[in-house]
Amino acid sequence: MSKAELLKSLEHAIVMGHLDAEDEGFDGTMEGTPGTVELVEEALEEGVEPQKILEVFGKAMERVGDLFESGEYFLPDMLASAECVGEAMDIIEPKLEAGRSSEKGKFLIATVEGDLHDIGKNIVATMLKGAGYQVQDLGIDVPADDILKSIEEFKPDFVGLSALLTTTMIEMEKVVKQIREKGYSDIKVLIGGAPTSEEFAEKIGADEYCRDVMDALNKLEEMKAAS
Amino acid sequence: MIISDKQQLKMLSPAEFQLLHEGTCRLLSQVGVKVTHEGIAEMLMSRGAQRKGERILIPQSMVENILEKTAKSIKFDAPDPAYGFTVNAAENQVKFGTGGQALYVVDRTSSEWVRRPAGTDDLKQILALCDQLKQVDFVTRPVECDVPEDQMDVEKARIFREYCSKPMNLANLIKLNRLDEVLEIIGDPAHVSFIVCLISSPLVMDSSAGDKLIAIVEKDLPVAISSCTQGGSTAPFSEVGELLQLNAELLFGYVLANAVRPGAQVLYRGIPITSNLYSDGSPRWCQPESIRRVALAAQLCRFYNLPCCGTAGVSDEAEPSSQAISEKVFSWTYEIASGAHYINSALGMLEQVMSVSYYQYVIDDIALGIVKKKFEENPSEDISKIAVSAAVEALSYFGVSIDEKVEAELAARIQHIENPLEPYSEEYIDEQLSVIEKAVTRSKSSTVFMTTARKGLREGYLYRGNRIDAPLNLSQVAEKLKAIAAP
Ligand code: B12
C-alpha cells in the first residue's frame, strides 16, 4: 500500500469505527481485517509523519459528525469512531513534538466521591478524546483529594465533574472550592449529571453546566473562542 | 389482585429457562463477580466460593443450594394492619407500589407542565396522597428530602411514620449507621423493607452496598436485591446476553444474603432495560423491548419459585401524556401476567424515574384500575388482548379518541413485545457468555457494550414506532386531587 492509500484506509477504518483486527466494526463483518490500531502502526513504520496522521483523525471525525447529523449514524457509531481516535492518539502521542498533541487542551474527568454512575461520564470522555482533547479519566467514586492530586500532575485546562445523586452533587462544591483555594484560577470547571443545573453550577462556582455531550463540546468551543 | 393460571405468561419453555439458568451458573463459576471487599470475599470463600484475582467465583452447587434455602414467603406488615400482606412465591398474587427517589416534580400550571426539584414537602404530600389512592398497596419512598445527607434516612423515617399507613419500602439506606435509629422511629421493623443495588454492572460488587445488605439481612428485614442493567451499554445489547448477566448479578446477591442468614427474606428485582442508542444513551424503561425483557426477568424469577419484585409503569415521557398512559398500561399488563408479586415504581413515575407528578399518581390510579378490571373480567383472555383493550379504555377515559393509527401502533408494540428476535439455544447462550467474559475481563469501562451494539441496533433491537399524541382531558384528575386535602 502506498502512503496515500494507507491514510485513506485509516480514514475509512475510523469512519467505520473499526478499532483493531479483533473488532467486528460497524456492521459486524470487519473482524480479521486491519483496523485503526494496525493501520496507524503500519503508517508509522512506513515513515508517515505523525502530523499527517493527526490530520486524518480530524477529517474522519468530521465525516462521522456529518453522518450523525444526517441521521445515518447513531451514538455507538460515533463512540466507536471516537474510541478509534483515542486509541490511535495513545500510539502517536509519544512520537509528537512536545505540546503538539493537546492543541485542543487537556481535560480531566471524574465521577465524584460516593457516586458510581458513569455511563454519561464515559460518553463524554470518549467523545472528547475523539474530538482531539487529551483526556484523563479518573473513573468513579473519586475523592476530592485524588482529583486535586491529579490536577497537580496532569495540569489540565479543563476539569469535568459528574454526579447523578442529590447526595453526591454536594461533593462537586467541595472539589470546586479546593481547586479555587489552590489558586488554579484558569482551570475551567464543567459539571454534568441529572440533578445538576445551570443554577447549581453558578452556586458552587463551576464555569459551565453541560446538559449532554453535545452541549459540552459546544461550550468548550465557545470558551476557546472567548479566550 | 390475583391472576388466573391461564393468564400467567411464559414466553420461554421450561427447557429454555433451564438453559438460561445453566448459562448463568457458568458465568458465575467461570467469570464471577469482582469483589474488592475483603471481608465479604472471605466469607463467601469460607462457604465454597473460589477466588480468581479480584473476582469471586460461585460454583453451581452453591447457587442451587441457596435457591432452595432462601425465603419463599415474605410478610409485609403496615401501621394499619388492614394493609398488611404476604408474598408467597408460588402464588399469583400481585401488589402495587410507588417508586423511588425521583429528582423532580412535574407540576401543572394553567398552560403547561413545569419541572422543579423535589423536596421534603413533596415527600409528605405524596405519602399523604398515596395513603388515599386505592391502587397503592405499598409505598416506596417517592422522592428524597432536601436535608443534609447524614440526616436523610432519619428524616425520611419520621415522615413515613407520620404520613404512611401502608407497608413502607424505604428503598436505599443512605447511611448504614442510621439503621437502628430508622427502625426505632418507625416503631415496628415489620413495617419496613429496603432495596439494595448490590452490583454495578457488569458484574462488579459495590462494597458499600454489600455492607448495607449484610446489616439489613442480619436484622431479618425484607430486601429487594436489585440490578438495573442497560442493554447496549452496561450489559450486552442482546436480550439473551442481558438476561444472563442480570440473573448472575442477582443470584450473586442471593448467595451473599443467604451466606449471612440462611433463609434471608430476599426479593428478586431484575430490571433489564435498554439504553437509547438512537439518541443519548439514556435508559428506555417503557419501550416494547424493555417491557419484554423486564417481563422475562419476572418469569425467570417465577421459574426459580422466588418472591418477585417487579418494576412496571416507569414512563419515558417527561410529562403526563397519552403516550405515557399507553406505555404504562402495556408495561403493567405484561409484568402482572409474568407473575411479579410486588410491583415497584408502578405509580406516579415519569421521565425514566427522574420525575414524579401528583397528577400522574391519580392518572395511574385510574388506569391501573382499568388494567386490573380487564384481567378480572376475562380470566382466559389472551394477554395481548387484555393489554390492547385496557390501553384503549384508559386512553378513552382521558378523552383520547382511538383511530386506526392508534390501533396499528398498539398492535405493532404488541408484536415487538411478544416475538423473540434471538434464539434461546445452547450455542447462542455460549456466544453471549463469551461476549460478557471478554467485556468484563478486558475493559475498564462500564459502558463496554456500547460499540458492540451497532449490529443489533441495525437489526431492530430497539423498537421504533410512533408516539401516541393526543391531548388529555384531566378535569376529573384535577377534581380528585383537590378533594384529597393536602397535609
Ligand atoms: C443507570 C443508573 C444506575 C446504574 C449505574 C450504572 C453506571 N455504570 O453508571 C446503577 C444500577 C449501578 C445505579 C445505582 C444507583 N442509583 Co442510579 N440511576 C441510573 C439511571 C437509571 C440512569 C443514569 C444514566 O446512566 N443515564 C444515561 C446517561 C447517558 O446520562 P447522564 O448520566 O445524565 O449523562 C449525560 C449528561 O447528564 C451529561 N453529563 C453527565 N456527567 C457529565 C460530566 C461532565 C463533565 C459533562 C460535561 C457532562 C456530563 O452528559 C451525559 C451524556 O450526554 C438514573 C435515572 C436517570 N434516568 O437518569 C438513576 C438514578 C441517578 N440513580 C439513583 C439511585 C437512587 C441509585 C442508587 C442509590 C440505588 C440504590 N437503591 O442503591 C444506586 C447508587 C449507587 C451509587 N453510589 O452511585 C437515583 C438518584 C436519585 C437521587 N435523588 O439522588 C436516580 C435518579 C434514579 C431514581 N429516581 O431512583 N443507578
Side-chain angles (χ1 to χ4, degrees):
Chain A
M1 241 193 279
S2 72
K3 284 183 188 172
E5 277 167 353
L6 200 53
L7 291 180
K8 267 232 116 38
S9 303
L10 175 61
E11 187 180 332
H12 180 69
I14 296 173
V15 173
M16 299 302 277
H18 185 27
L19 182 62
D20 55 25
E22 264 188 44
D23 160 73
E24 60 181 28
F26 179 79
D27 51 4
T29 62
M30 300 178 90
E31 202 171 331
T33 62
T36 305
V37 169
E38 289 86 4
L39 291 166
V40 167
E41 278 164 355
E42 195 180 334
L44 288 172
E45 270 167 35
E46 295 293 322
V48 179
E49 275 171 51
Q51 198 54 40
K52 281 254 163 336
I53 301 179
L54 270 188
E55 282 163 23
V56 172
F57 296 169
K59 236 163 82 187
M61 286 312 285
E62 216 168 280
R63 171 97 187 101
V64 171
D66 291 345
L67 285 165
F68 185 72
E69 240 147 64
S70 71
E72 242 170 281
Y73 263 27
F74 303 114
L75 178 70
D77 306 318
M78 210 159 51
L79 283 175
S81 298
E83 217 171 282
C84 290
V85 170
E87 288 279 320
M89 278 302 278
D90 288 348
I91 303 173
I92 65 165
E93 214 143 68
K95 313 252 180 330
L96 291 167
E97 299 159 39
R100 283 309 287 269
S101 67
S102 51
E103 246 164 49
K104 287 245 177 156
K106 290 185 178 182
F107 200 108
L108 185 80
I109 192 164
T111 297
V112 297
E113 184 166 15
D115 204 313
L116 306 177
H117 295 85
D118 66 354
I119 299 175
K121 181 218 62 176
N122 292 346
I123 293 175
V124 172
T126 310
M127 288 299 293
L128 288 177
K129 266 191 220 168
Y133 291 86
Q134 193 182 340
V135 178
Q136 187 176 348
D137 182 351
L138 300 180
I140 51 175
D141 191 14
V142 188
D145 288 349
D146 291 4
I147 296 177
L148 265 292
K149 214 188 288 154
S150 297
I151 291 176
E152 214 167 284
E153 287 159 13
F154 182 57
K155 304 197 171 26
D157 305 287
F158 308 97
V159 171
L161 303 173
S162 185
L164 269 278
L165 301 170
T166 33
T167 48
T168 57
M169 63 195 268
I170 315 300
E171 264 302 299
M172 291 179 158
E173 185 165 8
K174 199 162 130 193
V175 177
V176 175
K177 212 165 144 212
Q178 289 195 27
I179 291 176
R180 300 308 180 215
E181 273 171 12
K182 289 261 165 161
Y184 296 115
S185 53
D186 26 321
I187 292 183
K188 300 274 185 228
V189 181
L190 291 79
I191 66 164
T196 63
S197 62
E198 213 144 321
E199 299 81 71
F200 181 69
E202 207 166 295
K203 184 180 147 229
I204 66 169
D207 296 281
E208 294 287 356
Y209 155 73
C210 303
R211 196 177 358 96
D212 55 30
V213 62
M214 287 305 165
D215 193 26
L217 285 166
N218 290 337
K219 287 190 168 140
L220 284 165
E221 286 301 323
E222 278 166 26
M223 280 190 240
K224 202 172 158 200
S227 68
Chain B
M1 83 183 276
I2 292 180
I3 64 166
S4 72
D5 288 342
K6 183 108 204 305
Q7 286 169 334
Q8 204 191 342
L9 193 62
K10 289 170 187 147
M11 289 168 159
L12 303 179
S13 68
E16 287 171 321
F17 282 122
Q18 183 62 26
L19 284 179
L20 268 183
H21 167 65
E22 278 159 18
T24 303
C25 289
R26 286 204 288 287
L27 189 54
L28 279 172
S29 64
Q30 290 164 19
V31 178
V33 173
K34 181 171 163 185
V35 177
T36 50
H37 187 304
E38 200 42 41
I40 289 180
E42 270 173 16
M43 186 204 328
L44 291 173
M45 286 192 296
S46 74
R47 304 296 206 298
Q50 286 131 31
R51 200 202 290 260
K52 184 165 117 193
E54 279 183 312
R55 309 194 74 84
I56 292 294
L57 310 180
I58 313 287
Q60 180 158 355
S61 57
M62 195 172 165
V63 173
E64 287 173 350
N65 201 356
I66 267 159
L67 287 176
E68 242 168 60
K69 266 194 227 138
T70 192
K72 302 293 184 301
S73 166
I74 300 179
K75 203 158 165 254
F76 297 87
D77 285 339
D80 178 345
Y83 287 122
F85 59 84
T86 300
V87 165
N88 286 315
E91 281 175 11
N92 284 340
Q93 177 190 254
V94 200
K95 296 285 177 183
F96 300 88
T98 58
Q101 218 172 345
L103 298 162
Y104 300 102
V105 172
V106 178
D107 287 330
R108 187 170 147 100
T109 67
S110 56
S111 58
E112 57 180 356
W113 296 102
V114 185
R115 196 179 90 159
R116 60 168 173 86
T120 307
D121 207 43
D122 294 304
L123 181 58
K124 294 178 183 170
Q125 303 246 19
I126 294 169
L127 293 194
L129 172 63
C130 289
D131 227 36
Q132 301 195 40
L133 292 180
K134 191 165 162 240
Q135 306 304 343
V136 177
D137 298 315
F138 64 91
V139 181
T140 299
R141 181 263 297 104
V143 294
E144 272 317 354
C145 315
D146 37 8
V147 297
E149 190 186 1
D150 64 327
Q151 290 161 37
M152 197 88 86
D153 295 304
V154 168
E155 182 66 13
K156 210 159 55 183
R158 278 197 200 106
I159 296 173
F160 260 87
R161 165 88 206 218
E162 191 174 344
Y163 293 95
C164 180
S165 61
K166 297 180 177 176
M168 308 168 179
N169 186 325
L170 299 181
N172 69 317
L173 182 67
I174 292 171
K175 293 282 177 202
L176 184 52
N177 60 7
R178 294 291 197 160
L179 180 57
D180 287 330
E181 225 173 316
V182 164
L183 296 178
E184 206 171 293
I185 292 168
I186 296 291
D188 185 346
H191 298 168
V192 290
S193 60
F194 290 90
I195 300 176
V196 170
C197 180
L198 180 65
I199 301 282
S200 246
S201 307
L203 294 162
V204 179
M205 194 194 82
D206 169 6
S207 297
S208 128
D211 284 330
K212 289 172 193 169
L213 178 66
I214 291 174
I216 291 167
V217 171
E218 273 173 349
K219 293 200 185 299
D220 204 14
L221 300 169
V223 57
I225 295 187
S226 173
S227 174
C228 180
T229 46
Q230 323 271 306
S233 153
T234 67
F237 202 28
S238 143
E239 163 185 307
V240 176
E242 183 171 18
L243 282 170
L244 287 164
Q245 184 186 309
L246 175 104
N247 195 35
E249 296 181 348
L250 292 176
L251 295 191
F252 176 83
Y254 273 85
V255 168
L256 175 56
N258 282 276
V260 174
R261 172 187 283 273
Q265 303 197 66
V266 180
L267 293 109
Y268 183 105
R269 181 172 191 242
I271 321 174
I273 53 178
T274 54
S275 204
N276 192 349
L277 303 180
Y278 282 132
S279 66
D280 56 359
S282 54
R284 288 171 47 116
W285 288 79
C286 229
Q287 302 313 306
E289 79 284 349
S290 297
I291 292 176
R292 175 179 166 83
R293 291 175 184 211
V294 172
L296 280 164
Q299 293 167 36
L300 181 58
C301 171
R302 291 298 301 271
F303 168 76
Y304 284 127
N305 190 30
L306 298 173
C308 179
C309 172
T311 296
V314 177
S315 174
D316 294 313
E317 291 289 294
E319 297 165 355
S321 60
S322 45
Q323 170 67 18
I325 292 173
S326 70
E327 290 178 1
K328 284 165 177 268
V329 168
F330 275 19
S331 163
W332 291 321
T333 304
Y334 279 90
E335 194 65 349
I336 292 168
S338 295
H341 299 111
Y342 177 97
I343 300 187
N344 208 52
S345 298
L347 295 100
M349 306 233 67
L350 287 165
E351 206 183 1
Q352 315 142 1
V353 299
M354 282 207 283
S355 304
V356 290
S357 166
Y358 292 74
Y359 271 77
Q360 194 65 53
Y361 285 106
V362 178
I363 296 171
D364 289 349
D365 197 59
I366 295 165
L368 182 53
I370 292 172
V371 171
K372 286 166 83 168
K373 188 187 75 187
K374 293 285 172 191
F375 271 92
E376 276 149 23
E377 269 171 10
N378 195 343
S380 54
E381 185 73 297
D382 254 14
I383 297 307
S384 61
K385 298 217 174 83
I386 293 182
V388 172
S389 72
V392 167
E393 188 170 328
L395 288 166
S396 307
Y397 182 96
F398 294 104
V400 177
S401 61
I402 306 297
D403 57 16
E404 275 170 22
K405 255 177 69 190
V406 172
E407 279 171 357
E409 176 55 29
L410 294 175
R413 292 182 193 175
I414 294 281
Q415 283 289 321
H416 201 98
I417 295 172
E418 296 216 336
N419 295 318
L421 290 169
E422 300 162 59
Y424 278 80
S425 66
E426 202 159 350
E427 303 78 68
Y428 192 69
I429 285 176
D430 277 338
E431 209 177 285
Q432 289 305 320
L433 290 178
S434 63
V435 170
I436 299 170
E437 172 162 22
K438 194 167 148 191
V440 301
T441 51
R442 293 199 202 155
S443 171
K444 286 187 295 250
S445 164
S446 70
T447 29
V448 54
F449 297 99
M450 263 190 190
T451 54
T452 50
R454 287 172 285 170
K455 192 161 166 260
L457 195 56
R458 263 122 196 136
E459 283 170 2
Y461 282 10
L462 296 188
Y463 177 75
R464 249 191 163 180
N466 299 306
R467 285 170 48 79
I468 293 177
D469 259 326
L472 296 177
N473 177 350
L474 295 177
S475 51
Q476 297 180 60
V477 177
E479 266 166 42
K480 195 160 177 190
L481 265 176
K482 223 185 285 163
I484 300 174

